[in-house]
Amino acid sequence: MSGRSEHQTVPLSVLLKRELANEKIEKPDVVIVHGQASENKKGEDFMLLKTECQRVVGDGVSTYSVFGLFDGHNGSAAAIYTKENLLNNVLSAIPSELNRDEWVSALPRALVAGFVKTDKDFQEKAHTSGTTVTFMIIDGCVVTVASVGDSRCILEPYEGGIYYLSADHRLDSNEEERVRITSSGGEVGRLNTGGGTEVGPLRCWPGGLCLSRSIGDMDVGEFIVPVPHVKQVKLSTAGGRIIISSDGVWDALTAELALDCCRGMSAEAAAPHIVKEAVQAKGLRDDTTCIVIDVYPQEKQPTSVPTQKKPVKGRLKSIFRKKSSESSSYVDKQYQEPDMVQELYEEGSAMLSERLETKYPLCNMFKLFICAVCQVEIKPGEGISIHVGLSNPGRLRPWDGPFLCSSCQKKREAMEGKRASDSAAEVTNELSCNFAFEKQRLFL
């Protein structure tokens, strides 16, 4: 009797409902195979690997995959917190009832809001650690990457060439970021050992961080911003290989070497091999982490891509040209070459007024009484337009949305050098005179 009671019958109506739901799940356009590996020195690198995530689209369900690499410094708290909260913060910034194309187009804006909210929430915990973030969402053939810091993401499509999907926010290599920080009230320089001798990479003072963007790092100053560089591309039907790695890899290997050393290998074998090559080249000086993702069309069996490098005429210029940090555009698809990687979107500005704008109708992209960053409800008359205070607003008016709550407006003003947030100013004043603390940051 007891054995029979354990197996309860399921009503036919429930079974039919489940079957219908399964039929409405859209089959993914591509097959995604990934591998990962890490060698730890400090134990501050963390990864997020989520495949076949589901979301409701109309009457059906669509799938997408998420990959993230979080390279912490001055402790692991920021990296762990970001790994656990960033995805939810991004998804909460995407309006409901969007179709698939609208959802994909809304991702760049939602990623900015999610990064800033994650940073704002983490700083309220008064931790002084920070983290770089390279965060990727794959929906069908569309790959969207948001990044702060110096971990990198590269793409080698099957037809050849290399696409850099992330930005490098090291002060040594990014002049635009050095100018932005000094204009916001920060100082950029090398460590002065006395007698005028300067050593090491360019750093931001106080704090000594050698990056211009990160999540956390409240002790360094609000001009170290969490606003990510975002790039979105559409893969060709042949697919390609994507590598996300922390600086432990890129300090030892170029993009070409990383791709060449694992050519012919599966994604599962490629990731540990890249880590091994990096450690052999420079030793285990830092946490060294790698994620390799191979994307294939459904009808193609997973094999390494490509087995031989295929040069693409006229492609080098577009691969390596510098994109303006103050421009963004969705590419008109009718002018794209067929069956090649299409660059859909790229933007790197640190100004929220430029990043939270959208080409979609107001009613489809955000609600008037919801903060564009933290998604809290705003009472009528209390929202602050992101266009307030712009020196050249053009046709935009102070009462045009989107809007920020008072807390997120303070965060925005601090990031843009208009004021210092209370919590960050308090910590910065306390630690700026502590040279011992500065020395702890030198080994980032």
Short mmCIF file of all heavy atoms in Angstrom, two decimals, residues 185-213:
data_model
loop_
_atom_site.label_atom_id
_atom_site.label_comp_id
_atom_site.label_asym_id
_atom_site.label_seq_id
_atom_site.Cartn_x
_atom_site.Cartn_y
_atom_site.Cartn_z
N GLY A 185 38.55 64.69 -11.43
CA GLY A 185 39.15 65.00 -10.14
C GLY A 185 40.12 63.97 -9.63
O GLY A 185 40.68 64.12 -8.55
N GLY A 186 40.37 62.92 -10.39
CA GLY A 186 41.33 61.90 -9.97
C GLY A 186 42.74 62.26 -10.40
O GLY A 186 42.96 63.17 -11.19
N GLU A 187 43.70 61.52 -9.88
CA GLU A 187 45.10 61.70 -10.27
C GLU A 187 45.62 60.41 -10.87
O GLU A 187 45.32 59.32 -10.39
CB GLU A 187 45.95 62.09 -9.05
CG GLU A 187 45.58 63.44 -8.45
CD GLU A 187 46.50 63.82 -7.31
OE1 GLU A 187 47.52 63.13 -7.12
OE2 GLU A 187 46.20 64.79 -6.60
N VAL A 188 46.41 60.54 -11.92
CA VAL A 188 46.99 59.38 -12.59
C VAL A 188 48.50 59.51 -12.58
O VAL A 188 49.05 60.55 -12.98
CB VAL A 188 46.48 59.27 -14.05
CG1 VAL A 188 47.17 58.12 -14.76
CG2 VAL A 188 44.97 59.07 -14.08
N GLY A 189 49.19 58.49 -12.10
CA GLY A 189 50.65 58.51 -12.07
C GLY A 189 51.21 57.18 -11.62
O GLY A 189 50.46 56.29 -11.20
N ARG A 190 52.50 57.06 -11.70
CA ARG A 190 53.17 55.83 -11.26
C ARG A 190 53.57 55.96 -9.79
O ARG A 190 53.55 57.04 -9.21
CB ARG A 190 54.40 55.55 -12.13
CG ARG A 190 54.07 55.51 -13.61
CD ARG A 190 55.28 55.16 -14.47
NE ARG A 190 55.01 55.42 -15.87
CZ ARG A 190 54.32 54.61 -16.67
NH1 ARG A 190 53.86 53.47 -16.21
NH2 ARG A 190 54.11 54.95 -17.94
N LEU A 191 53.91 54.84 -9.19
CA LEU A 191 54.34 54.84 -7.80
C LEU A 191 55.67 55.58 -7.66
O LEU A 191 56.64 55.30 -8.37
CB LEU A 191 54.49 53.40 -7.30
CG LEU A 191 54.97 53.25 -5.86
CD1 LEU A 191 53.95 53.81 -4.89
CD2 LEU A 191 55.27 51.79 -5.54
N ASN A 192 55.69 56.55 -6.77
CA ASN A 192 56.89 57.32 -6.53
C ASN A 192 57.63 56.73 -5.34
O ASN A 192 57.14 56.74 -4.21
CB ASN A 192 56.53 58.79 -6.25
CG ASN A 192 57.74 59.70 -6.30
OD1 ASN A 192 58.85 59.29 -5.97
ND2 ASN A 192 57.52 60.94 -6.70
N THR A 193 58.82 56.21 -5.60
CA THR A 193 59.59 55.55 -4.54
C THR A 193 60.48 56.52 -3.79
O THR A 193 61.21 56.13 -2.89
CB THR A 193 60.46 54.43 -5.14
OG1 THR A 193 61.37 54.99 -6.11
CG2 THR A 193 59.59 53.38 -5.79
N GLY A 194 60.43 57.78 -4.16
CA GLY A 194 61.28 58.77 -3.49
C GLY A 194 62.40 59.23 -4.42
O GLY A 194 62.90 58.45 -5.23
N GLY A 195 62.74 60.48 -4.29
CA GLY A 195 63.81 61.01 -5.13
C GLY A 195 63.38 61.21 -6.56
O GLY A 195 64.23 61.31 -7.47
N GLY A 196 62.08 61.22 -6.81
CA GLY A 196 61.59 61.45 -8.16
C GLY A 196 61.53 60.20 -9.02
O GLY A 196 61.18 60.27 -10.20
N THR A 197 61.91 59.05 -8.46
CA THR A 197 61.90 57.81 -9.23
C THR A 197 60.49 57.21 -9.25
O THR A 197 59.88 57.00 -8.21
CB THR A 197 62.87 56.78 -8.63
OG1 THR A 197 64.18 57.35 -8.58
CG2 THR A 197 62.89 55.51 -9.48
N GLU A 198 59.96 56.95 -10.45
CA GLU A 198 58.64 56.36 -10.60
C GLU A 198 58.76 54.96 -11.18
O GLU A 198 59.52 54.73 -12.11
CB GLU A 198 57.76 57.22 -11.50
CG GLU A 198 57.47 58.60 -10.91
CD GLU A 198 56.53 59.40 -11.78
OE1 GLU A 198 56.39 59.05 -12.98
OE2 GLU A 198 55.92 60.36 -11.29
N VAL A 199 58.00 54.02 -10.63
CA VAL A 199 58.07 52.63 -11.08
C VAL A 199 56.65 52.10 -11.30
O VAL A 199 55.67 52.63 -10.78
CB VAL A 199 58.79 51.74 -10.03
CG1 VAL A 199 60.23 52.18 -9.86
CG2 VAL A 199 58.06 51.76 -8.69
N GLY A 200 56.58 51.00 -12.07
CA GLY A 200 55.33 50.30 -12.25
C GLY A 200 54.39 50.95 -13.26
O GLY A 200 54.72 51.96 -13.88
N PRO A 201 53.21 50.39 -13.42
CA PRO A 201 52.23 50.92 -14.38
C PRO A 201 51.57 52.19 -13.87
O PRO A 201 51.67 52.53 -12.69
CB PRO A 201 51.21 49.77 -14.48
CG PRO A 201 51.26 49.13 -13.13
CD PRO A 201 52.70 49.20 -12.71
N LEU A 202 50.90 52.88 -14.75
CA LEU A 202 50.11 54.04 -14.36
C LEU A 202 48.96 53.60 -13.46
O LEU A 202 48.31 52.58 -13.71
CB LEU A 202 49.55 54.75 -15.59
CG LEU A 202 50.53 55.56 -16.43
CD1 LEU A 202 49.84 56.07 -17.69
CD2 LEU A 202 51.12 56.71 -15.63
N ARG A 203 48.74 54.37 -12.39
CA ARG A 203 47.70 54.02 -11.43
C ARG A 203 46.87 55.25 -11.10
O ARG A 203 47.28 56.38 -11.33
CB ARG A 203 48.32 53.47 -10.14
CG ARG A 203 49.15 52.21 -10.36
CD ARG A 203 49.79 51.73 -9.07
NE ARG A 203 50.62 50.55 -9.31
CZ ARG A 203 50.16 49.31 -9.32
NH1 ARG A 203 48.88 49.09 -9.08
NH2 ARG A 203 50.97 48.30 -9.55
N CYS A 204 45.69 54.99 -10.57
CA CYS A 204 44.80 56.06 -10.13
C CYS A 204 44.97 56.25 -8.63
O CYS A 204 44.94 55.28 -7.86
CB CYS A 204 43.36 55.68 -10.47
SG CYS A 204 42.15 56.90 -9.95
N TRP A 205 45.16 57.49 -8.22
CA TRP A 205 45.37 57.79 -6.80
C TRP A 205 44.25 58.68 -6.27
O TRP A 205 43.77 59.54 -6.98
CB TRP A 205 46.73 58.46 -6.60
CG TRP A 205 47.86 57.67 -7.17
CD1 TRP A 205 48.47 57.84 -8.37
CD2 TRP A 205 48.51 56.55 -6.55
NE1 TRP A 205 49.46 56.91 -8.55
CE2 TRP A 205 49.51 56.10 -7.45
CE3 TRP A 205 48.36 55.88 -5.33
CZ2 TRP A 205 50.34 55.03 -7.17
CZ3 TRP A 205 49.20 54.81 -5.05
CH2 TRP A 205 50.16 54.40 -5.96
N PRO A 206 43.84 58.44 -4.99
CA PRO A 206 44.35 57.45 -4.03
C PRO A 206 43.86 56.05 -4.39
O PRO A 206 42.94 55.89 -5.17
CB PRO A 206 43.73 57.90 -2.71
CG PRO A 206 42.45 58.56 -3.10
CD PRO A 206 42.74 59.25 -4.39
N GLY A 207 44.52 55.07 -3.81
CA GLY A 207 44.14 53.69 -4.03
C GLY A 207 45.14 52.90 -4.83
O GLY A 207 45.40 51.74 -4.55
N GLY A 208 45.72 53.50 -5.86
CA GLY A 208 46.74 52.81 -6.64
C GLY A 208 46.20 51.79 -7.62
O GLY A 208 46.92 50.89 -8.04
N LEU A 209 44.94 51.90 -8.03
CA LEU A 209 44.37 50.95 -8.98
C LEU A 209 44.86 51.28 -10.39
O LEU A 209 44.87 52.44 -10.80
CB LEU A 209 42.84 51.01 -8.93
CG LEU A 209 42.08 49.92 -9.68
CD1 LEU A 209 42.33 48.57 -9.04
CD2 LEU A 209 40.59 50.23 -9.70
N CYS A 210 45.25 50.26 -11.15
CA CYS A 210 45.76 50.51 -12.50
C CYS A 210 44.66 50.38 -13.55
O CYS A 210 44.95 50.40 -14.75
CB CYS A 210 46.91 49.56 -12.82
SG CYS A 210 46.51 47.81 -12.75
N LEU A 211 43.41 50.27 -13.11
CA LEU A 211 42.27 50.20 -14.01
C LEU A 211 41.43 51.46 -13.89
O LEU A 211 41.41 52.10 -12.84
CB LEU A 211 41.40 48.98 -13.69
CG LEU A 211 42.08 47.62 -13.66
CD1 LEU A 211 41.09 46.56 -13.19
CD2 LEU A 211 42.61 47.27 -15.04
N SER A 212 40.70 51.79 -14.95
CA SER A 212 39.82 52.96 -14.93
C SER A 212 38.36 52.58 -14.72
O SER A 212 37.54 53.44 -14.42
CB SER A 212 39.96 53.74 -16.23
OG SER A 212 39.56 52.95 -17.34
N ARG A 213 38.02 51.31 -14.91
CA ARG A 213 36.64 50.87 -14.72
C ARG A 213 36.63 49.52 -14.02
O ARG A 213 37.45 48.65 -14.31
CB ARG A 213 35.90 50.77 -16.05
CG ARG A 213 35.87 52.07 -16.83
CD ARG A 213 34.83 52.06 -17.93
NE ARG A 213 35.02 53.16 -18.86
CZ ARG A 213 34.19 53.51 -19.81
NH1 ARG A 213 33.06 52.80 -19.99
NH2 ARG A 213 34.43 54.53 -20.62
#
